[in-house]
Amino acid sequence: MKSARNKLDILSAYRELGSYRAAAALCGTTHRTVRRVVEHRGRPALEPMPRPKNTDPLAALLAERVRATDGRISAKRLLPACRAAGYGGSARHLRRAVATAKAEWRRDRRVYRPWQPVPGEHLAIDWGTEGGLHVFCAVLVWSRVRFVRFAADESQATTLRLLAECFETLGGVPAVVLADRMGCLKGGVVANVVVPAPGYLAFATHYGFRPDFCEAADPESKGVVEHLVGYAKADLMIPGAPFADLAVANAAAVAWCAETNGRVHSETAAVPAERLLAERSLLRPLPSLRPAPAPTAVRTVDRLRTVRYGSARYSVPGAFIGRRVDLVVMGAELVVSATGAEIARHRLVDPGEMSLVDAHYGRAAKAPVRAIRPRTPAEIAFIGLGPVAAAFLRAAAASGTSRLAGELGLIVDLERAHGREPLLAALERALAFGRFRAADVRSILAAGAGVPHHAAPGERLTVLLPLVPVRPLAAYALEPAS
């Protein structure tokens, strides 16, 4: 079949030449085709009759299942139901029918209307992640001014700090801050209505804006900031990665925001930085001071002088046992405060770990020591010899000396024959050489005072060796045969 353009060319050639064959030669076709086009030029075009498809009886079933699953069901899962309804065609043909049903469902599912922003009204914020780096994005909806910064986490303290920096950069506070249902700002959800977290609510009260949250699982309703997150990833994070640290990344983000806000926006056909000058007069004034960081959590100090946060323990001074303290996460640190004053600061540790400060316990940590409690007369007499006897007993027990109780009685009996002082000296020597039998102590006493005493090693002996000439390796090479 000839296209409408080809038919017009054929008719124009026939009007000028007045011959079927001449017009056919000019248009590169046959005279029969020219005649057919000329004879049918006054008749209405006949539309082809639609051919019936074997998926037509399934139209109601497909439409119902697509609507019930919100357009997420696949043709593969619909095939068994269609077979049961009498469908005998191929899976490929069914996929086309399901695609058509989904397209019709999307067309009629909801009515789309562009959002007409009001100057000074809305600021949209959201978080994104790329390569382990978190990016905070905000856009002032009317002027389309972008604000992008990087952070190490997405905690409430970090989000509020960056939001305060965004207000200071804009030079004012909008009426509404529209956020996704991020966990750091959400205190709970009741009947699909989001309850702001206490810290976020106090922050909003201080700056004088109304916190608002997007609809759950509906990315179509927050396209402004979602587009900014994707734009920041594609145009800033991926080309500039990897960044050396957060300071370098944020310096690049500031330069990128200045560049993008200085270009003409495709939607508004204006420069966002210039529109901000007009919108700034409608923003609420900034407060004189930033608010104090809202507590991330509130805990009661236990008798171990610790508080738990993130399944880890952090120590505090003992004067606060039983009292409630505020925990604030600042970057990679946890700040513990009471009545507005800081009482402890720790580096964040992994779950199950502990961060303890010796000053909170008055001394450094010591290894646990089991107390010696003699009960039998032989044990009482042996421990009565003094500290060297206690050290001898612990070392003998650690070495696994068998029949230690009987050995202690025999050692005590040696005091009658040799006296206390020689016995104590013999115990010290036996302890130094790891000999814990009564016979060993008796042998030391029999040797008398002439035996050498154990001494600690002296300083390292340094000997200066004489320097000798060193021949190069080339001197050992074999001479070539003559």
Side-chain angles (χ1 to χ4, degrees):
M1 293 181 63
K2 295 293 184 180
S3 64
R5 183 180 183 85
N6 293 336
K7 292 179 180 179
L8 289 176
D9 293 340
I10 291 173
L11 290 174
S12 299
Y14 178 74
R15 281 195 213 97
E16 293 181 2
L17 302 177
S19 169
Y20 293 155
R21 294 186 181 276
L26 181 63
C27 296
T29 183
T30 64
H31 65 283
R32 296 183 182 85
T33 302
V34 175
R35 182 181 60 187
R36 187 164 54 250
V37 171
V38 172
E39 291 177 354
H40 288 75
R41 62 181 174 178
R43 302 179 185 177
L46 297 178
E47 296 184 358
M49 294 294 293
R51 297 175 58 187
K53 301 178 182 178
N54 57 356
T55 56
D56 291 342
L58 305 174
L61 173 64
L62 297 181
E64 174 61 23
R65 296 298 295 272
V66 168
R67 184 197 61 79
T69 59
D70 200 27
R72 292 194 293 265
I73 194 168
S74 64
K76 176 182 177 182
R77 298 305 175 189
L78 281 172
L79 184 58
C82 295
R83 295 288 190 202
Y87 174 68
S90 64
R92 182 179 181 183
H93 193 46
L94 180 64
R95 282 198 298 269
R96 296 195 187 100
V98 172
T100 302
K102 288 184 178 181
E104 294 175 355
W105 170 80
R106 292 190 192 96
R107 185 182 64 247
D108 303 331
R109 181 173 66 99
R110 63 193 299 180
V111 177
Y112 292 95
R113 181 173 179 172
W115 182 14
Q116 187 174 3
V118 178
E121 189 71 16
H122 282 88
L123 176 77
I125 64 174
D126 199 4
W127 279 99
T129 305
E130 181 70 31
L133 193 62
H134 302 273
V135 57
F136 174 82
C137 298
V139 56
L140 197 58
V141 179
W142 185 80
S143 61
R144 304 300 170 93
V145 173
R146 293 102 160 182
F147 176 86
V148 175
R149 291 296 184 273
F150 296 105
D153 56 69
E154 299 181 9
S155 62
Q156 183 184 108
T158 303
T159 304
L160 299 185
R161 175 177 60 81
L162 294 177
L163 189 56
E165 184 180 348
C166 177
F167 292 156
E168 295 167 4
T169 303
L170 297 175
V173 181
V176 179
V177 173
L178 180 63
D180 195 4
R181 299 193 175 192
M182 51 186 71
C184 60
L185 303 182
K186 181 179 64 175
V189 179
V190 180
N192 200 36
V193 178
V194 180
V195 180
Y200 182 41
L201 191 60
F203 180 87
T205 304
H206 180 83
Y207 278 95
F209 66 86
R210 179 174 64 87
D212 194 9
F213 294 88
C214 296
E215 187 69 23
D218 189 21
E220 298 174 350
S221 63
K222 50 178 180 176
V224 175
V225 71
E226 288 282 349
H227 175 74
L228 176 58
V229 173
Y231 183 33
K233 289 181 180 180
D235 198 55
L236 172 62
M237 299 183 71
I238 296 177
F243 297 102
D245 51 27
L246 282 178
V248 175
N250 281 322
V254 172
W256 183 82
C257 290
E259 176 190 350
T260 55
N261 292 331
R263 291 200 305 257
V264 177
H265 195 277
S266 60
E267 181 69 23
T268 61
V271 178
E274 296 177 358
R275 286 170 67 93
L276 177 61
L277 298 178
E279 187 177 10
R280 187 171 289 159
S281 61
L282 301 176
L283 298 176
R284 290 163 170 75
L286 289 167
S288 57
L289 295 174
R290 281 192 184 186
T296 307
V298 179
R299 297 288 188 270
T300 301
V301 182
D302 56 22
R303 61 181 180 180
L304 298 177
R305 306 186 182 194
T306 61
V307 291
R308 288 180 60 87
Y309 178 77
S311 299
R313 286 188 178 273
Y314 302 89
S315 64
V316 297
F320 296 91
I321 294 178
R323 295 174 56 180
R324 295 179 68 82
V325 294
D326 298 329
L327 310 182
V328 178
V329 178
M330 294 184 177
E333 292 184 329
L334 179 71
V335 179
V336 185
S337 59
T339 63
E342 180 181 329
I343 60 175
R345 183 182 289 262
H346 298 268
R347 295 284 297 178
L348 289 173
V349 296
D350 295 331
E353 301 293 333
M354 291 187 291
S355 177
L356 306 179
V357 178
D358 293 339
H360 296 163
Y361 298 92
R363 57 178 177 81
K366 296 181 179 179
V369 178
R370 304 292 180 264
I372 297 178
R373 297 184 180 89
R375 292 182 175 84
T376 64
E379 294 173 355
I380 295 173
F382 182 79
I383 296 302
L385 295 176
V388 65
F392 182 91
L393 175 59
R394 293 184 185 278
S399 66
T401 304
S402 60
R403 300 180 181 179
L404 183 57
E407 298 290 342
L408 297 182
L410 296 176
I411 293 175
V412 170
D413 293 340
L414 295 176
E415 182 182 2
R416 300 175 185 175
H418 299 275
R420 178 178 288 266
E421 295 300 329
L423 179 59
L424 293 179
L427 286 177
E428 291 181 359
R429 184 174 179 82
L431 179 61
F433 288 96
R435 311 297 295 183
F436 304 111
R437 300 285 183 181
D440 299 327
V441 179
R442 188 181 299 108
S443 300
I444 295 173
L445 291 171
V451 296
H453 295 281
H454 178 74
E459 297 181 358
R460 183 184 299 272
L461 179 62
T462 302
V463 179
L464 297 178
L465 299 177
L467 297 177
V468 297
V470 180
R471 300 178 64 186
L473 294 177
Y476 299 94
L478 297 176
E479 297 181 359
S482 57

